[in-house]
Amino acid sequence: MELTVTDIQRFCMHDGPGVRTTVFLKGCGMRCQWCHNPETQKGKPELLFYAQKCILCGACAAVCPNRVHTVEDGNHMLLRDKCKNCGACASVCPTKALEISGTKYSSEELLSIVERDRPFFGNAGGVTLSGGEPFLQKDGAIELLRLCRLHGLNTAVETCGYFDPDVLNAAVPYTNLFLWDIKDTDSARHQKYTGVPNEPILNNLERANRLGARIRLRCILVNGVNTDDIHYRRVAELANRLSNCEGVELIPYHAYGGSKATFLGRPDNGKNEWIPTANQLGTAKQILFDQGVKVL
Amino acid sequence: MLFYTPNRMTRPIRLSEKTRQFAYDSLNHKYGIETREHNAVSLDEIDIEIYQKMSPLMRYDTAIFQIVSKAPLRICDGERISGAATLGLAIDHRVPATYGGVKIFSSVSHLTVDFETVVKKGINHIRKEAEISLEKHRGTEKEDFLKSCLHCLNCFDIWHKRYLDALADRPEYRANYENLKRVPMEPAASFYEAVQSIWFTFAFLRLCGNWPGIGRIDCLLGEYLKNDLQKGIVTLDEAREILAHFFIKGCEWVAGGDYVSGDAQHYQNILLGGIDENGCDVTNEVTYLVLDILEELGISDFPTSVRLNQNTDEKLLRRVAEVMRYGGGMLAVYNEDKVIEALQKDGYELSEARRFANDGCWEVQVPGKTFFMYLPFDSLHILQKNTLNGYEAGVDYPTFESLYQRYIADLKRAVEALVQVRVEKCNTRNEKGEWVWESLTPCTVISLFERGCIEKGCSYFEGGPIYNIISPHIGGLADTVNSLYAIKKLVFEEQRLTLPEFMRVLKNDWEGEEPLRQYVLTHYSYYGNDNEEVDRLAARLLDDFADICAELNGKCGYRFPAGVSTFGRQLEWIPQRASSPHGRKKGEILAGNSSPTPGTDREGATAIIRSYCNADLSRLTTGAALDLKLLPSAVEGEDGLSALMALMRGFVILGGFFMQLDVADVSVLRDAQEHPEDYQTLSVRVSGWNARFVTLSREWQNMIIEQTER
């Protein structure tokens, strides 16, 4: 089973318990305005261009069959419309200023990569599937989770919750922990900022809960978007309603993921005004705490 | 009164205000400045004609007598244990004695002496052994050395007596006086006496110019503390105070030095934990007290290592991680499973291998029984200068294998030549052509504390100790491996250019070839990224190097076990190094010890450890050190603790040897360069030693920053 992967990061400390290897799968059904990993949105491989690494050697222009690259007068221009993401330019670019995001791996290959750090995992650590939305590549993701469990590796899935509900029957038994994003409990706002309503996500969450999934909720705090008390209370209600919820992680928005969009030739989507204040974070923590929710 | 931390965590407080003040004052140079006012004793009173007729040993004995009689005594405010090494030349690694203003003798370092006999049997026991040996060797050429032994023991008495007299005059030091009365001459009877016994002997050795390591302090002191706690003679808090004074007094040389490679480089290493000769875990209350003290005071002068194994208690591992988080490089770890395996492979009995400590730096040895010396060399220079003939025209090899074989032949020649020079310096051949020891610099004081010397009647330098080790140390490992790998890929596999063409590029220091250089830098995955292909090359090179060393054994009284190190020599090697095939220009700072070339490791800490552990490190008997720097933010909170513990656990499981984990922040280090006054106590791990960052020369500071920036 093949999976399209944007990145594999080892020695991750914040993607679940203990030391973990995180596999980022490409493709997501949501389009959050603040997305930190925009290269994981589309399912197909895409060309990334890091302008600051370019030494204007022209190697890309020489090999590109579609004339995407022009290097002249100290400038490197890309005509992305013409790009077929063939990767010819990336393979000759000496500085890796050009790179194809989205590499195919078989689930067995991925297993052997995550196996490498087993000596560091101890009792708590293991593998985390992230993305993107891992369950958009549902067959591959489930196969990888199954293989990992079969080999005694702890598994976690970082999910936005927006996926085919049928996935859960197969996925829950192979997943030790779900890190479940709740972007917003207000459906209209959810639609506005992420492109989709939140009901399918909440339905999936209920379903996962019924199937016995162990869940940690992760809530991004975006100033001026979801930093209101009603939202925090609804998150608390949600956490309390789940039968096997470890608690809630509050993740303050930060702007430094924004520039990643520029590598795809899109405008920078980072906004400093989205960064929540320490007070807002404190209030959120307090409300959750008052409702008896463990803040992780 | 704040002791530096690299992150937002504040250090816990367990010690009394008085002891903390003593630590603070000592770290801030209250003591030791005066060592430069009386650098050395002078033998000028001796008439020149008489002096010229004196043997080196006679001169040495006279110097030691002058030292113990005339060295100023220092009693610090509120100190709980007494004795101090107060002559400045000792800080320069010299016997602090001059004749006509000229320094007479060098001194001894890179060893951990036999403190076990000192504490448990006392100096008078050593004296008896020397008397017995003298009777046995009367009328032989060994008589002079053994008489010198007894003379130096008498000198030790003189110095001891001077301290007792000085303390007796000061009623506030009554407890010190009472405690010093019996030790170190007699066996210690209590924990307090045992600490004083080790300290006073250590101070005496250092007074005479030597730099010994301490070794396994929890082994030495554990039983005493256990007994005293049971009898109610001492409380745990009281014991921590006493032991803290040992650590505080250990930074007495901070102020007196003139440093390039840092101020705490006096090879006074300490080991904690691990198993004893019977395989039982030695970890005890003293182990945890030492960790408490390091955590609270941040004193880095006794670089401390913990012996870990597959069964290390979770409680100890966690405590080690907690202390490590405060940075300063105060704690490093050995995987004792690997070290013991290595020593056994080199021929040591299992029980003896289990007793290992280090040489005061991180090279492994059996303490109190070992003459140790290492011979560092630059393996990259051999590749560039010999195998690739300085990149001159005409260099060509038909296959990568033929190039590699030629390199191993060049390496073998270089190692043999290095060893030959060293051995000839210490040995001569007799009429039968066999190597025999030749007496060198006198070193009686250190010889008293190395088993074998008194029995054989031979000094430390003359084959006295039971084990005599000269260890060739390969330096530039990662860069040599990466260079070979780059040539293999670029020339022989991808055939992007011919070897002669590549030699021209390197001869011109990559001039006009920036795209090619960038390709080589970014497209190949070098040592430190868990890339099996390059890691196998490293493993093969180390195996071949260990074979070269093993073949040297049996030709003379030394053994020649292999090791890996640079200890910062990557700086002094810069001028001799040309540009490197793995994309490095002339003049760049390259890899240290067994660590990756700065800037090449992209896969993170676990990948570095895996690359390092890929080789069979049990063949590198005296050690192979991995330096790992982590950001303060990476070690904060419970996650940070888990991360450190995971790294240590993986390091042991994968078969590592020695790992120096340090927590440092590049921006802080840069700020310290600009505002040294604000960072007087910021300490960093250099290699086998720690240093207050601001006492390093600019070049050394830059090297640390470069390593940290990875």
Side-chain angles (χ1 to χ4, degrees):
Chain A
M1 195 73 68
E2 273 203 333
L3 294 103
T4 307
V5 173
T6 61
D7 201 4
I8 300 167
Q9 284 180 12
R10 297 163 67 169
F11 197 48
C12 297
M13 299 307 302
H14 306 292
D15 295 327
V19 171
R20 309 194 75 84
T21 297
T22 304
V23 181
F24 294 84
L25 298 178
K26 202 157 164 29
C28 184
M30 286 164 54
R31 290 291 180 269
C32 302
Q33 291 187 14
W34 51 77
C35 182
H36 284 128
N37 296 316
E39 77 283 8
T40 64
Q41 289 181 348
K42 288 184 184 164
K44 292 246 162 60
E46 285 172 280
L47 181 66
L48 300 177
F49 175 54
Y50 308 96
Q52 79 281 10
K53 289 191 195 170
C54 178
I55 54 170
L56 304 168
C57 68
C60 47
V63 299
C64 179
N66 304 309
R67 302 198 180 179
V68 174
H69 305 277
T70 336
V71 180
E72 51 185 33
D73 303 332
N75 255 317
H76 183 167
M77 308 275 283
L78 275 84
L79 296 170
R80 285 184 175 269
D81 297 347
K82 292 187 182 174
C83 180
K84 303 276 187 288
N85 296 308
C86 70
C89 59
S91 69
V92 298
C93 177
T95 61
K96 291 199 177 174
L98 292 160
E99 200 175 46
I100 292 288
S101 173
T103 309
K104 302 239 188 252
Y105 290 91
S106 71
S107 41
E108 289 79 13
E109 279 174 310
L110 288 172
L111 175 70
S112 78
I113 291 170
V114 298
E115 275 283 0
R116 292 184 160 264
D117 273 358
R118 185 194 283 270
F120 301 94
F121 291 156
N123 298 327
V127 184
T128 299
L129 301 195
S130 183
E133 169 48 55
F135 290 135
L136 282 200
Q137 301 186 47
K138 57 182 177 183
D139 295 339
I142 289 166
E143 174 62 8
L144 179 56
L145 289 168
R146 190 186 70 80
L147 279 176
C148 288
R149 292 300 302 134
L150 191 68
H151 289 83
L153 292 164
N154 179 291
T155 56
V157 175
E158 241 170 341
T159 177
C160 69
Y162 193 72
F163 52 76
D164 175 1
D166 292 340
V167 167
L168 286 167
N169 286 332
V172 170
Y174 301 129
T175 306
N176 293 102
L177 178 68
F178 286 87
L179 304 160
W180 201 294
D181 286 355
I182 300 295
K183 313 275 186 198
D184 205 334
T185 47
D186 181 301
S187 190
R189 280 197 318 226
H190 199 280
Q191 174 82 49
K192 179 178 169 197
Y193 284 99
T194 73
V196 302
N198 68 8
E199 285 81 4
I201 295 167
L202 297 173
N203 289 341
N204 275 345
L205 181 63
E206 295 287 350
R207 185 172 179 141
N209 186 49
R210 278 200 304 277
L211 289 165
R214 194 153 159 255
I215 295 163
R216 187 188 285 190
L217 297 181
R218 302 184 111 192
C219 300
I220 188 165
L221 290 190
V222 187
N223 187 8
V225 176
N226 63 4
T227 43
D228 65 279
D229 297 2
I230 300 168
H231 172 56
Y232 308 148
R233 288 210 181 81
R234 285 197 192 131
V235 169
E237 279 166 31
L238 201 54
N240 285 330
R241 204 161 63 232
L242 297 173
S243 42
N244 203 357
C245 178
E246 296 194 329
V248 175
E249 264 181 76
L250 293 173
I251 302 173
Y253 168 83
H254 60 77
Y256 39 79
S259 61
K260 273 193 177 178
T262 61
F263 305 146
L264 291 159
R266 296 192 217 144
D268 190 334
N269 65 333
K271 282 190 191 170
N272 283 328
E273 60 265 33
W274 277 339
I275 300 170
T277 63
N279 267 346
Q280 286 172 328
L281 197 58
T283 309
K285 270 186 193 165
Q286 190 60 49
I287 290 177
L288 289 170
F289 180 80
D290 290 345
Q291 304 294 314
V293 174
K294 189 171 173 193
V295 179
L296 300 164
Chain B
M1 204 161 50
L2 280 177
F3 297 96
Y4 180 82
T5 61
N7 39 32
R8 288 169 289 182
M9 305 186 309
T10 49
R11 295 177 181 273
I13 296 175
R14 300 185 187 89
L15 295 165
S16 68
E17 198 55 24
K18 256 168 106 176
T19 295
R20 287 170 59 80
Q21 189 67 47
F22 182 27
Y24 191 80
D25 291 344
S26 296
L27 284 168
N28 287 289
H29 301 189
K30 180 169 174 185
Y31 304 104
I33 299 267
E34 80 282 11
T35 50
R36 288 301 168 186
E37 288 159 25
H38 30 75
N39 236 352
V41 297
S42 159
L43 307 191
D44 291 356
E45 281 173 23
I46 305 171
D47 190 77
I48 180 82
E49 277 170 28
I50 297 174
Y51 185 80
Q52 277 168 349
K53 280 182 201 149
M54 289 167 77
S55 71
L57 198 56
M58 284 165 77
R59 291 175 191 170
Y60 181 84
D61 284 349
T62 311
I64 299 299
F65 177 76
Q66 291 294 326
I67 289 167
V68 297
S69 310
K70 293 192 180 152
L73 305 184
R74 183 197 301 138
I75 297 167
C76 308
D77 293 342
E79 69 177 22
R80 303 286 301 267
I81 53 172
S82 294
T86 52
L87 296 173
L89 268 192
I91 309 176
D92 302 340
H93 204 300
R94 295 276 175 173
V95 176
T98 58
Y99 189 75
V102 178
K103 299 163 197 170
I104 312 172
F105 297 116
S106 183
S107 55
V108 182
S109 64
H110 284 95
L111 80 170
T112 286
V113 300
D114 179 16
F115 283 114
E116 195 180 338
T117 300
V118 173
V119 183
K120 296 188 175 155
K121 296 182 176 167
I123 300 298
N124 289 340
H125 173 84
I126 297 173
R127 194 189 322 265
K128 256 178 239 133
E129 284 187 335
E131 283 163 355
I132 292 166
S133 186
L134 177 59
E135 284 316 307
K136 209 171 95 190
H137 293 103
R138 274 249 191 253
T140 72
E141 75 277 15
K142 301 190 166 167
E143 202 175 319
D144 287 347
F145 168 70
L146 289 163
K147 281 182 177 161
S148 172
C149 286
L150 287 166
H151 168 79
C152 289
L153 288 165
N154 289 338
C155 288
F156 197 0
D157 276 339
I158 292 169
W159 192 60
H160 185 236
K161 179 82 171 36
R162 285 180 67 206
Y163 263 99
L164 282 177
D165 290 347
L167 290 166
D169 289 344
R170 314 256 309 254
E172 69 273 32
Y173 292 101
R174 186 80 208 162
N176 298 44
Y177 172 79
E178 291 296 335
N179 197 44
L180 187 61
K181 235 167 41 182
R182 295 182 57 259
V183 295
M185 301 308 154
E186 295 297 320
S190 68
F191 174 76
Y192 190 17
E193 278 191 352
V195 174
Q196 175 68 80
S197 174
I198 297 173
W199 174 261
F200 202 75
T201 307
F202 179 65
F204 171 64
L205 286 161
R206 299 217 307 173
L207 176 77
C208 299
N210 306 294
W211 297 5
I214 298 293
R216 306 181 73 182
I217 199 168
D218 50 359
C219 274
L220 292 167
L221 296 173
E223 278 298 309
Y224 290 100
L225 181 56
K226 193 176 153 200
N227 289 338
D228 285 7
L229 287 170
Q230 267 168 10
K231 290 187 214 150
I233 293 173
V234 76
T235 64
L236 217 46
D237 284 338
E238 177 67 4
R240 191 186 296 110
E241 295 284 328
I242 291 167
L243 198 54
H245 282 236
F246 182 96
F247 279 82
I248 297 165
K249 287 188 64 93
C251 50
E252 65 184 358
W253 280 359
V254 172
D258 178 17
Y259 303 105
V260 175
S261 54
D263 60 350
Q265 189 198 350
H266 303 110
Y267 308 137
Q268 49 199 81
N269 270 249
I270 282 180
L271 264 82
L272 298 175
I275 54 173
D276 64 13
E277 48 269 50
N278 302 314
C280 302
D281 189 357
V282 304
T283 309
N284 59 53
E285 293 290 1
V286 176
T287 318
Y288 287 98
L289 289 184
V290 171
L291 294 171
D292 287 352
I293 292 162
L294 294 177
E295 181 179 40
E296 176 166 352
L297 300 179
I299 290 176
S300 60
D301 295 76
F302 292 100
T304 302
S305 303
V306 184
R307 288 173 46 159
L308 303 178
N309 60 46
Q310 299 257 11
N311 303 315
T312 296
D313 193 23
E314 190 81 359
K315 180 183 160 201
L316 178 63
L317 198 64
R318 193 179 171 83
R319 195 75 192 99
V320 169
E322 282 170 353
V323 178
M324 262 181 187
R325 290 200 296 176
Y326 291 97
M330 258 158 298
L331 278 183
V333 291
Y334 287 97
N335 170 20
E336 67 175 4
D337 298 337
K338 186 59 67 181
V339 178
I340 292 166
E341 181 193 341
L343 288 167
Q344 276 190 286
K345 272 190 187 168
D346 197 42
Y348 291 85
E349 293 289 330
L350 176 60
S351 60
E352 199 73 329
R354 284 169 168 169
R355 296 182 63 244
F356 83 87
N358 52 33
D359 66 331
C361 187
W362 55 250
E363 301 97 307
V364 162
Q365 62 174 225
V366 178
K369 293 183 176 180
T370 307
F371 166 86
F372 178 81
M373 169 183 284
Y374 74 101
L375 299 176
F377 67 91
D378 179 5
S379 64
L380 181 65
H381 184 59
I382 296 168
L383 176 68
Q384 295 178 340
K385 181 160 176 279
N386 301 113
T387 314
L388 301 176
N389 193 27
Y391 306 141
E392 292 301 333
V395 172
D396 203 1
Y397 294 93
T399 60
F400 175 73
E401 187 57 27
S402 60
L403 188 160
Y404 180 81
Q405 291 302 341
R406 172 62 194 273
Y407 176 65
I408 293 302
D410 289 336
L411 186 68
K412 186 170 161 67
R413 254 194 305 281
V415 171
E416 284 171 351
L418 193 67
V419 164
Q420 184 77 11
V421 169
R422 188 64 244 175
V423 171
E424 279 175 6
K425 234 173 156 178
C426 316
N427 290 209
T428 48
R429 285 182 195 270
N430 63 16
E431 54 283 5
K432 287 185 219 154
E434 298 158 336
W435 289 107
V436 289
W437 303 99
E438 190 172 28
S439 74
L440 268 175
T441 318
C443 54
T444 312
V445 169
I446 213 82
S447 307
L448 296 170
F449 303 96
E450 282 286 309
R451 280 190 225 172
C453 292
I454 287 176
E455 293 91 312
K456 293 187 211 166
C458 303
S459 81
Y460 178 75
F461 283 135
E462 296 166 329
I466 295 168
Y467 308 110
N468 291 280
I469 302 298
I470 294 180
S471 177
H473 271 204
I474 188 169
L477 172 71
D479 296 295
T480 300
V481 168
N482 292 343
S483 293
L484 288 168
Y485 182 69
I487 294 172
K488 180 172 181 249
K489 299 300 274 188
L490 199 65
V491 174
F492 294 104
E493 289 180 13
E494 296 173 14
Q495 300 183 359
R496 283 175 181 261
L497 71 179
T498 66
L499 191 58
E501 283 166 353
F502 195 23
M503 294 298 101
R504 269 198 298 282
V505 169
L506 294 171
K507 182 84 190 162
N508 294 327
D509 199 17
W510 296 97
E511 195 59 49
E513 297 288 348
E514 190 57 17
L516 182 67
R517 192 177 83 89
Q518 288 295 333
Y519 179 84
V520 166
L521 278 176
T522 54
H523 282 251
Y524 298 151
S525 163
Y526 293 110
Y527 172 80
N529 290 294
D530 194 13
N531 166 11
E532 275 175 38
E533 195 185 356
V534 67
D535 293 346
R536 265 200 301 272
L537 190 56
R540 183 180 177 194
L541 174 58
L542 286 175
D543 257 352
D544 289 334
F545 169 57
D547 286 343
I548 290 169
C549 294
E551 282 172 29
L552 298 165
N553 290 332
K555 293 178 188 150
C556 61
Y558 298 110
R559 283 188 71 77
F560 300 92
V564 184
S565 78
T566 61
F567 297 115
R569 280 190 180 79
Q570 58 266 43
L571 281 182
E572 67 188 60
W573 288 339
I574 286 175
Q576 70 179 24
R577 286 173 164 177
S579 57
S580 295
H582 58 310
R584 295 310 171 113
K585 291 185 176 173
K586 193 169 166 45
E588 290 191 34
I589 299 174
L590 299 181
N593 293 332
S594 292
S595 309
T597 308
T600 57
D601 50 319
R602 305 186 196 111
E603 295 291 320
T606 57
I608 296 175
I609 293 175
R610 279 189 61 99
S611 279
Y612 159 75
C613 293
N614 192 285
D616 180 2
L617 300 174
S618 72
R619 302 211 56 204
L620 302 159
T621 316
T622 63
L626 179 67
D627 315 302
L628 217 52
K629 299 252 192 302
L630 298 173
L631 287 171
S633 56
V635 297
E636 278 178 0
E638 191 59 31
D639 283 348
L641 275 184
S642 310
L644 284 171
M645 289 166 72
L647 289 177
M648 289 189 278
R649 211 183 287 114
F651 159 82
V652 171
I653 292 171
L654 290 166
F657 197 107
F658 179 65
M659 179 165 70
Q660 315 191 91
L661 272 169
D662 199 359
V663 178
D665 187 330
V666 171
S667 60
V668 170
L669 298 180
R670 286 198 196 287
D671 197 44
Q673 283 189 318
E674 300 315 312
H675 308 284
E677 63 283 1
D678 297 339
Y679 295 93
Q680 286 301 317
T681 58
L682 160 61
S683 123
V684 289
R685 190 83 175 187
V686 182
S687 184
W689 66 94
N690 302 306
R692 245 67 66 175
F693 184 74
V694 296
T695 68
L696 293 161
S697 75
R698 191 79 176 190
E699 279 171 305
W700 281 75
Q701 290 179 347
N702 289 341
M703 178 176 72
I704 299 284
I705 288 174
E706 193 116 353
Q707 287 170 356
T708 310
E709 254 170 349
R710 279 183 196 147

